[in-house]
Amino acid sequence: MASDDVANLADSLAKTQVDESELSYKGQGLKLDNAQSVEKMVKAIEEFDGLCALRLEGNTIGVEAAQTIAKALEKKSDLQCCHWSDMFTGRLRAEIPPALVSLGDALIMAGARLKVLDLSDNAFGPDGVKGIEKLLKSTACHTLQELRLNNCGMGIGGGKILAAALTVCHKQSSALGAPLQLKVFIAGRNRLENDGATALAQAFQLIGSLEEVHMPQNGINHPGVTALATAMQHNPQLRVLNLNDNTFTKRGAIAMAQALKHLRNVQVINFGDCLVRSEGASAIAEALREGLPILKELNLSFGEITEDAALEVAQSVQHKDQFEKLDLNGNSLGEEGCENLREVMENMNMADKLGSLSDDEGEPEEDEEEEDDEDDDDDEDVEEEEEEEEEEEGEGEEEKSELNQFSTPPSAPRTPDVSSFLSFPSPDKLLRLGTKRSFLIQQQVDVSDVSKIVEVFLKISSVYKEDDAEVKSAVLESIDAVLSKAFLTPSFQGLSFMSPLLVMLGLLKSEDKLKPVKVVPGHLQCLEHAVKQSYFPREHITVLNAFMARPNKLLEPCSSARERLKFTLQKLTSES
């Protein structure tokens, strides 16, 4: 290890914030590859008596470094909280499972009794879930209260493995007289879909102690939503239910409304961007009138809800003494409907509880309402047909179906706005796609066409605005969705990605019909973001670094963005 690296690590250690029972290396950006690189950290762990919490998030840890840290943890029986999110940035996906296995085995050997396990933002996929499977089944997790696995790319397979491990944990802990009492479960942005959500729902129903469930943006449709609804009924202490950006449709919304009738402690419901539609909203309003006495927040935004149903929802919260916020933005009320809604809320002395209606879609035409009803039926028929086909394909096709879980059926509904954006990109069009934009764009991407992936990436990044936080976030979220889908799909020809990218950026001459685009700063700024993500192959960085170092007139208008990208590439190359 270089002397300046040792000095840098020493400085970081000096800045480490240590509470009475917590040792923290949070956000220090340490690159820990081998035993030597973690010597001081290991010493600090070994000398910390009564260590209850270890924060490693925001660093990058290799296999050997993880194994060395694990040795130090083998004697830390007091450890309860592992805050280990975002700690594998820049690592090969194959490195993550063995690192997790080492750390998990150490916790088991130590006889630790965990309360919090946070592995969010590690993009480890199904194999990563296998890496923590043994830990989750062990006595170390019999006491687990919070499990945070947000944005890990688990997929359907990972969801099933996780559900099975939690089931084993609950059964074994129950046999010992102290059942697992999991309170908080977070697994947003994991591509769980119906099968993954249904498997987890079965585990939730068994556990019965959940207080918070966060599963936004998972591609779950009404079969998965219905399974979750059934499970929630068996968790009477549930306070927060966040299923934002999934697709309920009428059937899923009605099933969830029935579940809510059995719950008394719910305080926050987030079904925004879930396409609950008017009939679903009416069912939810009925559930609110009958129960949920301490509800504080209700989000039914962007659900294609019309005026009458929206007014029902508003009236249903009238006697909720603790109620704080109603979000019905982005629905189909029309100008008059919005005014009527505001008037109803004002008459109930709750005008300040109503959120903005600035993104209302306007009152739908009668034909559109009829089409929505037909779409509901069509969506359900398609889903049922797909489920039957999957069953017929058998176990041999299971892995293939997981790898292609985001392929778009030929008749997938409601994606013309995405087509419009990709044809003529603009920041406004991207924002108008709503919070579901990354999923919708991801659905349109065909990973078998490498050039198309590059083209979509460049179109999205062309609208990037560094000084507009909302646009910036929307762009980065969308490119992450597209590129992670591509690079995390084994059938994707990743090695072929660089050629069309370099051609379209004007860094390489083309022998086929590909033509360079007019490069704007956003292209390079988004590329700088992408190369730092765990999904981006390390071998591509060296190639990109070599080409960016060459003089190129096409990039001169983007000199500042280019210099930043070059600096980042050089740094990542030197770290490899």
Side-chain angles (χ1 to χ4, degrees), residues 174-192:
S174 297
L176 295 173
L180 171 67
Q181 294 288 303
L182 187 66
K183 295 180 179 179
V184 177
F185 180 84
I186 300 176
R189 299 186 67 185
N190 269 292
R191 299 174 296 152
L192 295 170

Side-chain angles (χ1 to χ4, degrees), residues 424-573:
F424 303 99
S426 74
D428 182 57
K429 282 184 181 178
L430 182 63
L431 295 179
R432 279 193 284 134
L433 290 175
T435 56
K436 210 167 184 175
R437 64 181 71 86
S438 60
F439 176 70
L440 292 173
I441 295 172
Q442 194 181 52
Q443 280 188 309
Q444 291 235 332
V445 172
D446 179 7
V447 295
S448 66
D449 189 339
V450 180
S451 297
K452 194 68 176 177
I453 295 288
V454 175
E455 183 181 342
V456 170
F457 165 75
L458 293 175
K459 285 186 174 182
I460 298 171
S461 58
S462 70
V463 305
Y464 180 90
K465 289 186 177 181
E466 182 69 34
D467 57 353
D468 188 321
E470 187 178 10
V471 173
K472 178 179 178 180
S473 175
V475 168
L476 296 182
E477 176 187 289
S478 300
I479 64 170
D480 282 343
V482 170
L483 294 183
S484 63
K485 175 187 175 181
F487 287 122
L488 296 179
T489 299
S491 59
F492 179 65
Q493 300 297 316
L495 294 175
S496 304
F497 176 80
M498 288 305 298
S499 178
L501 178 65
L502 294 171
V503 168
M504 291 187 193
L505 289 176
L507 300 172
L508 183 68
K509 289 185 177 180
S510 173
E511 295 180 0
D512 50 33
K513 296 180 180 179
L514 287 177
K515 294 182 180 180
V517 300
K518 180 181 179 182
V519 181
V520 296
H523 290 139
L524 305 185
Q525 289 165 323
C526 290
L527 190 54
E528 183 197 4
H529 166 82
V531 298
K532 293 187 287 188
Q533 307 309 307
S534 57
Y535 58 69
F536 199 89
R538 300 298 94 185
E539 59 268 24
H540 290 1
I541 291 174
T542 305
V543 177
L544 193 55
N545 183 41
F547 277 89
M548 288 304 300
R550 298 177 180 178
N552 190 298
K553 290 184 179 180
L554 290 175
L555 301 184
E556 287 179 1
C558 313
S559 57
S560 177
R562 180 187 183 186
E563 289 305 312
R564 282 176 50 187
L565 174 58
K566 283 171 61 179
F567 176 79
T568 298
L569 290 170
Q570 289 166 3
K571 182 180 178 183
L572 291 172
T573 302

Side-chain angles (χ1 to χ4, degrees), residues 144-165:
L144 194 63
Q145 295 179 10
E146 297 184 19
L147 180 58
R148 300 171 180 267
L149 295 169
N150 201 57
N151 191 31
C152 288
M154 290 190 288
I156 296 172
K160 289 181 176 180
I161 295 167
L162 176 60

